């Protein structure tokens, strides 16, 4: 994280020193361009839709190590600090992708011009990425170098309230994706952004918890300073794991159950748990926006059968076409509403001899809906409208936008946030980018178009029209090319997938969206889990009861069985039983929940992981003695307490004493405490103490007889008081230490130093030293356990204060 802050603050340095990147490239003589696609590397092949790895470097000296690490696809560097950008590009050509962090318009102009100046206009350095916190800078570079990808860095927290503004901002500056720190985003918020065709790359912070949290939340990329650690952390996924559920897109609603592109079809799709519903829009003769898939009404309505009964002779003459060639632009909305969208065969969604097939399912008459009517249907849901711009010209785009604006005002909700646009027409998508740049857009393609196996060819078609998504027919995607596109920040949405086998393949390959006529097939599938809480605080001896949330696409809870995977603080875990976990007092542990998916009709089985969950025991167990110095054959009391008041029933604690150091002389209970059991093993005496129904700090006091050194230990803490008088070069040393936590042994650590004024006073008294003691003139310092030297005059002063 410190490194990231350095990058972000570099703009200030650059502005102060005026050392912008103008000297770091040689625009007249760029290195030879890459000859092949850079092949994306995989962090862990067990992770379905595995996030791509972006490694940050501070200097070009790190290039060789990153190239060889086996997991980094993109190398990220601060453009301002580069000595030679062209040298970096030449070094990583055909091996890794480059990402430059830029800050100023001057850098955008220089780098954009340079990346467009290539030895080969077809295969130049267009397979490159830039990133910036400044949307204006990104937009400038993208306008100069339309085939260069861009990421918008978001420094603040992205929440469920502000993510729409993040989406609008990213789209408006033509950024392909956003970058955010792991602590500033959640899985739920990430899914909202991803459903709007924007990929999310996350700065993990390079901790084990941060790395695994970033993976489990379904991020599309991980930005790291330590790819080796990330790789090691990711090795925990040893079975096929799904970290990002596929988003189901209801193709024309649910046309397998109701007439396509009608309100009943969309109602059924919503009820089946669709994430998005897809529609097709046209503009009518009188400027209304309606839903229709074909250019003509003939296939999906009764216009041919009832041409003469539903339209007067004057109307037919004015239209001037045969019934089977009538388009939306030929009719007014009132005329279109006369047509029956249910008067066609429902057999494989094609016209046939049975033109009343939908009537058999109860659909006698269904109107062709308007865009307004569909938006009103969606207004009370979280479902996104995947709106295909069907007209061959752009005349319907702005009117559609006006409908969305009007509905937003009517329902008091930002409906622009619930609409994305897709099209086969580059002209329409380019118009969107120019006139409505805040909208997410996707490029539809037919089979064989845009080079199915060539990531650069696909990007060259998608990027110049500023699309977020690539929406090809399913046969245009494979296990080979989807990871290559994801590694470059492009979202991938396949259509139309009706075969169960094909759907299984696309889930395994990492497709973002499954567009299908049978959304209901996935209704009961559980493709992700989460813990109901991300943190728990317990009392000593108390277990945290952790619950899992495992919802299917309908929002139905499945209560999946799960197991704990401890990812941090394993030595602090006392017990795991079922969904309960207990940690030692004063410590914490972090776990993930692991379950097996329920795939509905899709029989794939995946491991599912929750977000990291931290369990902490807030109360610390304090073991203290009533004497600071205990000599052999001297009695002393050891009290056991918590550092704050707690409340619990039937709390059981274990205390262990070394019988070679002392003799047990008695126990004084407090607050209902009782010794339940005493055992002796290998010279260790163990007591099990039950404390029932109390609200107090003290748990009881042991009376001990010292033999030499007093050791007081519990299963949760090992404490040591170790007093030794010794002469060392004219100094008198007193060793005093409380040991470190240790769950499994009674070994004592001496790496911490705890002392207060009372202890100092007792030490002085114990050794017969007072402020006027003549011997003190011979000792200028006390050495406390080697950790600090305290001037003897300070101790004298403290003694006077205490007396």
């Amino acid at each position: 994280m410190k490194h990231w802050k350095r990058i972000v603050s570099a703009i200030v340095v650059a502005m102060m020193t005026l050392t912008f990147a103008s000297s770091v490239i040689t625009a007249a003589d760029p290195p030879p361009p890459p000859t092949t696609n850079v092949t994306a590397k995989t962090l862990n092949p067990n992770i379905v839709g595995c996030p791509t790895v972006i490694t940050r470097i501070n200097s070009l000296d790190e290039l060789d190590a990153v190239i060889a690490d086996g997991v980094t696809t993109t190398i990220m560097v601060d453009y301002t600090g580069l000595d030679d950008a062209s040298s970096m590009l030449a070094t990583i050509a055909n091996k890794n992708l480059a990402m430059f962090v830029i800050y100023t318009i001057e850098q955008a102009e220089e780098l954009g011009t340079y990346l467009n100046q290539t030895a080969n206009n077809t295969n130049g350095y267009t397979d490159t990425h830039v990133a910036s916190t400044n949307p204006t800078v990104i937009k400038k570079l993208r306008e100069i170098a339309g085939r260069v990808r861009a990421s918008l860095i978001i420094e603040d927290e992205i929440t469920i309230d502000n993510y729409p503004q993040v989406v609008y901002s990213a789209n408006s500056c033509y950024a392909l994706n956003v970058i955010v720190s792991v602590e500033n985003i959640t899985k739920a918020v990430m899914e909202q952004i991803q459903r709007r065709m924007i990929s999310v790359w996350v700065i993990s912070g390079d901790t084990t918890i941060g790395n695994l949290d970033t993976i489990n939340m379904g991020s599309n990329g991980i930005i790291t300073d330590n790819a080796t650690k990330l790789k090691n952390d990711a090795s925990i996924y040893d079975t096929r794991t799904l970290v990002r559920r596929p988003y189901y897109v209801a193709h024309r609603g649910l046309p397998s159950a109701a007439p396509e592109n009608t309100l009943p079809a969309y109602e059924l799709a919503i009820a089946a748990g669709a994430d998005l519903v897809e529609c097709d829009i046209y503009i009518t003769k009188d400027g209304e926006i309606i839903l229709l898939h074909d250019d003509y009404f003939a296939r999906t309505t009764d216009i041919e059968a009832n041409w003469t009964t539903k339209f007067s002779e004057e109307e037919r003459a004015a239209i001037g076409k045969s019934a089977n060639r009538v388009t939306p632009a030929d009719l007014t909305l009132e005329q279109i509403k006369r047509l029956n969208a249910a008067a066609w065969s429902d057999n494989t969604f094609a016209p046939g001899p049975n033109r009343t097939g939908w009537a058999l399912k109860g659909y006698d008459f269904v109107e062709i809906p308007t865009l307004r009517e569909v938006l009103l249907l969606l207004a009370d849901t979280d479902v996104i409208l995947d709106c295909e711009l069907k007209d061959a010209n752009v005349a319907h785009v702005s009117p559609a936008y006006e409908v969305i604006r009007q509905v937003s005002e009517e329902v008091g909700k930002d409906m622009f946030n619930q609409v994305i646009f897709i099209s086969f027409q580059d002209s329409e998508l380019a118009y969107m980018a120019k006139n409505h740049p805040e909208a997410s857009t996707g490029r539809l393609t037919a089979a064989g178009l845009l080079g199915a196996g060539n990531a650069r060819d696909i990007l060259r078609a998608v990027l110049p029209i500023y699309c977020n998504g690539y929406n090809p027919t399913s046969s245009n995607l494979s296990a080979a090319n989807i990871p290559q596109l994801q590694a470059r920040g492009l979202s991938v949405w396949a259509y139309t997938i009706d075969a169960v086998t094909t759907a299984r393949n696309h889930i395994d390959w990492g497709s973002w969206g499954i567009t299908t006529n049978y959304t209901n097939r996935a209704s009961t599938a559980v493709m992700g889990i989460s813990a109901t809480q991300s943190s728990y605080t317990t009392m000593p001896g108390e277990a945290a009861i952790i619950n899992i949330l495992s919802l299917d696409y309908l929002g139905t809870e499945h209560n999946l069985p799960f197991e704990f995977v401890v990812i941090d603080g394993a030595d602090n875990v006392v017990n795991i039983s079922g969904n309960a976990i207990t940690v030692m007092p004063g410590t914490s542990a972090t776990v993930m929940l692991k379950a097996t998916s329920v795939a509905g009709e899709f029989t794939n089985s995946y491991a599912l992981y929750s977000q990291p969950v931290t369990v902490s025991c807030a109360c610390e167990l304090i073991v203290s003695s009533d004497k600071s110095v205990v000599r052999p054959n001297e009695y002393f009391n050891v009290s056991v307490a918590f550092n704050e008041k707690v409340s619990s029933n039937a709390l059981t604690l274990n205390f262990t004493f070394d019988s070679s150091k002392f003799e047990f002389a008695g126990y004084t209970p407090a607050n209902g405490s009782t010794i339940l059991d005493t055992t002796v093993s290998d010279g260790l005496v163990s007591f099990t103490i039950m404390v029932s129904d109390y609200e107090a700090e003290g748990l009881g006091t042991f009376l001990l007889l010292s033999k030499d050194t007093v050791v007081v230990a519990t299963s949760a803490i090992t404490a040591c008081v170790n007093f030794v008088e010794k002469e060392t070069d004219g100094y008198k040393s007193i060793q005093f230490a409380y040991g470190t936590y240790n769950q499994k042994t009674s070994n004592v650590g001496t790496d911490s130093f705890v002392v207060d004024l009372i202890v100092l006073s007792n030490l002085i008294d114990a050794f017969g030293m007072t402020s006027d003691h003549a011997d003190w003139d011979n000792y200028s310092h006390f050495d406390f356990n080697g950790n600090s030297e305290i001037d003897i005059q300070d101790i004298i002063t403290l003694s006077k204060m205490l007396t």
Side-chain angles (χ1 to χ4, degrees), residues 59-76:
S59 72
L60 299 188
D61 293 339
E62 302 174 50
L63 279 179
D64 289 342
V66 176
I67 292 171
D69 67 25
V71 294
T72 297
T73 294
T74 300
I75 300 175
M76 182 178 186

Side-chain angles (χ1 to χ4, degrees), residues 145-397:
R147 292 176 177 175
V148 175
R149 304 181 299 278
S151 297
L152 177 62
I153 302 170
I154 307 297
E155 296 180 284
D156 298 324
E157 182 181 7
I158 308 178
T159 68
I160 204 67
D161 295 321
N162 69 17
Y163 80 84
Q165 285 67 45
V166 170
V167 171
Y168 298 152
S169 181
N171 288 336
S172 295
C173 69
Y174 309 140
L176 197 60
N177 62 330
V178 297
I179 293 174
V180 63
S181 295
V182 64
E183 64 270 18
N184 285 339
I185 194 167
T186 63
K187 184 182 184 74
V189 172
M190 182 177 295
E191 284 197 352
Q192 295 291 357
I193 297 173
Q194 289 171 335
R195 287 198 299 150
R196 288 151 179 85
M197 291 188 176
I198 297 178
S199 62
V200 182
W201 289 353
V202 177
I203 306 166
S204 70
D206 293 324
T207 65
T208 297
I209 294 173
N211 285 339
L212 296 178
D213 193 14
T214 300
I215 294 172
N216 290 347
M217 69 171 59
S219 66
N220 308 107
I222 301 178
I223 297 178
T224 179
D225 295 332
N226 190 339
T228 299
K229 175 173 173 52
L230 175 61
K231 180 179 180 180
N232 291 336
D233 290 339
S235 65
I236 195 172
Y237 305 99
D238 55 3
T239 56
R240 187 170 62 169
T241 298
L242 188 67
V243 293
R244 176 175 51 80
R245 71 181 180 89
Y247 306 120
Y248 272 84
V249 185
H251 186 235
R252 310 179 203 174
L254 192 61
S256 53
E260 68 180 45
N261 272 316
T262 66
L263 293 181
Y266 292 114
E267 289 170 350
L268 291 174
I270 294 168
D275 295 294
L276 303 89
V277 292
E278 186 263 356
C279 73
D280 310 277
I281 64 170
Y282 284 88
I283 191 168
T284 68
K285 184 178 181 178
D286 54 348
E288 299 289 342
I289 304 298
I290 65 160
L291 272 60
L292 184 73
H293 178 269
D294 300 357
D295 291 337
Y296 311 103
F297 294 104
R299 177 176 67 89
T300 58
T301 76
D302 61 345
I303 192 169
E304 287 186 283
N306 296 306
W307 178 236
T308 59
T309 59
K310 291 192 173 183
F311 296 89
S312 68
E313 183 176 349
E314 291 78 7
E315 287 177 319
R316 297 196 304 273
I319 293 169
K321 294 180 179 179
S322 61
N324 65 344
R325 305 302 293 175
V326 174
T327 69
D330 296 323
L331 303 179
T332 66
L333 179 60
E334 184 277 326
Q335 291 172 322
I336 291 170
K337 285 294 186 178
R338 302 176 197 171
L339 301 176
N340 185 4
W344 63 290
S345 173
D346 61 342
N347 182 26
T348 67
F349 318 113
N354 179 12
R355 302 291 291 180
T356 60
W358 286 116
L360 300 176
K361 293 188 176 182
Y363 299 109
D364 295 315
F365 182 88
V366 178
E367 289 184 349
I368 293 175
T370 62
L371 175 61
R372 178 182 179 278
E373 289 170 327
V374 174
L375 290 171
L376 289 173
L377 177 66
L378 297 178
D380 291 332
T381 75
D382 189 39
V383 177
I384 294 172
L385 185 63
D386 192 6
C387 189
E388 181 179 346
L389 303 171
K390 292 289 289 187
D391 264 338
N393 58 59
V394 300
H396 64 317
V397 177

Side-chain angles (χ1 to χ4, degrees), residues 515-756:
T515 301
T516 178
N517 293 307
Y518 298 93
T519 310
N520 52 308
R521 288 176 174 168
S523 296
T524 60
V526 178
M527 298 291 196
I529 63 171
S530 63
T532 55
Q533 294 178 219
S534 294
S535 63
Y536 292 79
T537 301
T538 64
M539 294 296 102
E542 178 187 10
I545 308 301
I546 300 180
N547 295 310
I548 189 174
L549 188 64
S550 48
L551 304 178
D552 60 22
Y553 283 82
L554 298 175
T556 303
E557 174 62 55
H558 281 246
N559 295 316
L560 296 184
F562 67 89
E563 61 182 278
F564 288 111
V565 179
V566 182
I567 60 175
D568 188 60
D571 289 343
N572 299 331
V573 176
V574 175
N575 184 56
I576 292 177
S577 178
N579 66 336
I581 179 171
T582 308
V583 300
M584 296 183 296
T587 71
S588 65
T590 303
V591 300
M592 298 187 299
L593 316 184
K594 179 182 179 182
T596 300
S597 67
V598 176
E601 291 189 21
F602 308 105
T603 57
N604 309 49
S605 179
Y606 304 97
L608 306 175
Y609 287 83
S610 75
Q611 78 275 31
V613 178
T614 299
V615 180
S616 303
C617 188
C619 286
E620 193 170 344
L621 196 60
I622 305 299
V623 181
S624 59
S625 170
D626 65 344
K627 294 184 179 180
S628 297
V629 178
V630 184
R631 302 194 181 271
N633 298 315
E634 183 177 356
Y635 287 96
F636 66 104
N637 291 303
V638 175
S639 298
V640 182
F642 291 121
N643 65 338
E644 61 183 71
K645 291 187 177 182
V646 299
S647 178
S648 179
N649 293 323
L651 178 66
T652 301
L653 300 171
N654 296 319
F655 298 87
T656 302
F657 302 101
D658 187 344
S659 61
S660 67
K661 304 294 184 181
F662 70 91
E663 291 181 4
F664 175 65
Y667 172 71
T668 303
N671 303 300
S673 60
T674 305
I675 293 181
L676 296 182
D677 188 28
T678 303
T679 60
V680 180
S681 176
D682 296 329
L684 297 178
V685 182
S686 298
F687 301 92
T688 301
I689 299 177
M690 170 73 77
V691 185
S692 59
D693 195 16
Y694 68 91
E695 286 191 12
E697 296 174 351
L699 301 178
T701 302
F702 294 91
L703 180 62
L704 305 176
L705 177 62
S706 173
K707 293 182 178 180
D708 179 17
T709 301
V710 177
V711 179
V712 182
T714 76
S715 61
I717 188 170
T718 299
C720 173
V721 185
N722 185 7
F723 304 93
V724 179
E725 286 188 69
K726 63 180 180 181
E727 297 289 336
T728 307
D729 299 327
Y731 291 88
K732 176 167 284 188
S733 297
I734 302 174
Q735 295 183 349
F736 181 93
Y738 281 91
T740 56
Y741 294 108
N742 192 320
Q743 177 188 2
K744 298 178 180 179
T745 72
S746 60
N747 294 335
V748 176
T750 57
D751 59 353
S752 62
F753 173 67
V754 180
V755 70
D756 58 24

Side-chain angles (χ1 to χ4, degrees), residues 302-498:
D302 61 345
I303 192 169
E304 287 186 283
N306 296 306
W307 178 236
T308 59
T309 59
K310 291 192 173 183
F311 296 89
S312 68
E313 183 176 349
E314 291 78 7
E315 287 177 319
R316 297 196 304 273
I319 293 169
K321 294 180 179 179
S322 61
N324 65 344
R325 305 302 293 175
V326 174
T327 69
D330 296 323
L331 303 179
T332 66
L333 179 60
E334 184 277 326
Q335 291 172 322
I336 291 170
K337 285 294 186 178
R338 302 176 197 171
L339 301 176
N340 185 4
W344 63 290
S345 173
D346 61 342
N347 182 26
T348 67
F349 318 113
N354 179 12
R355 302 291 291 180
T356 60
W358 286 116
L360 300 176
K361 293 188 176 182
Y363 299 109
D364 295 315
F365 182 88
V366 178
E367 289 184 349
I368 293 175
T370 62
L371 175 61
R372 178 182 179 278
E373 289 170 327
V374 174
L375 290 171
L376 289 173
L377 177 66
L378 297 178
D380 291 332
T381 75
D382 189 39
V383 177
I384 294 172
L385 185 63
D386 192 6
C387 189
E388 181 179 346
L389 303 171
K390 292 289 289 187
D391 264 338
N393 58 59
V394 300
H396 64 317
V397 177
S398 289
Y401 241 69
E402 177 60 19
V403 171
I404 301 171
R405 186 194 65 77
Q406 292 174 356
V407 173
S408 296
E409 290 185 357
E410 183 175 344
V411 301
K413 181 182 180 182
D414 179 15
M415 295 305 296
F416 288 103
N417 184 44
Q418 276 183 250
V419 183
I420 61 178
F421 294 91
I422 56 176
S423 181
F424 286 92
Q425 309 293 330
D426 284 356
S427 59
E428 293 176 339
L429 295 169
Y431 180 88
M432 288 290 300
K434 180 179 179 180
N435 295 280
H436 308 289
E438 69 277 5
S440 294
T441 58
R443 175 61 155 87
L444 285 163
T445 70
L449 191 64
L450 302 183
N454 192 316
R456 287 190 299 179
D457 286 348
I458 293 171
L459 286 161
R460 288 191 186 103
V462 172
L463 291 173
I465 51 176
Y466 306 114
C467 289
N468 312 90
Y470 176 53
N471 304 66
T473 184
S474 60
S475 60
N476 206 6
L477 292 172
S478 67
N481 63 8
I482 290 178
Q484 307 309 315
L485 295 169
Q486 175 168 301
R488 290 161 170 84
L490 187 67
S491 66
V492 181
W493 304 71
Y495 77 92
T496 298
I497 302 173
D498 289 339

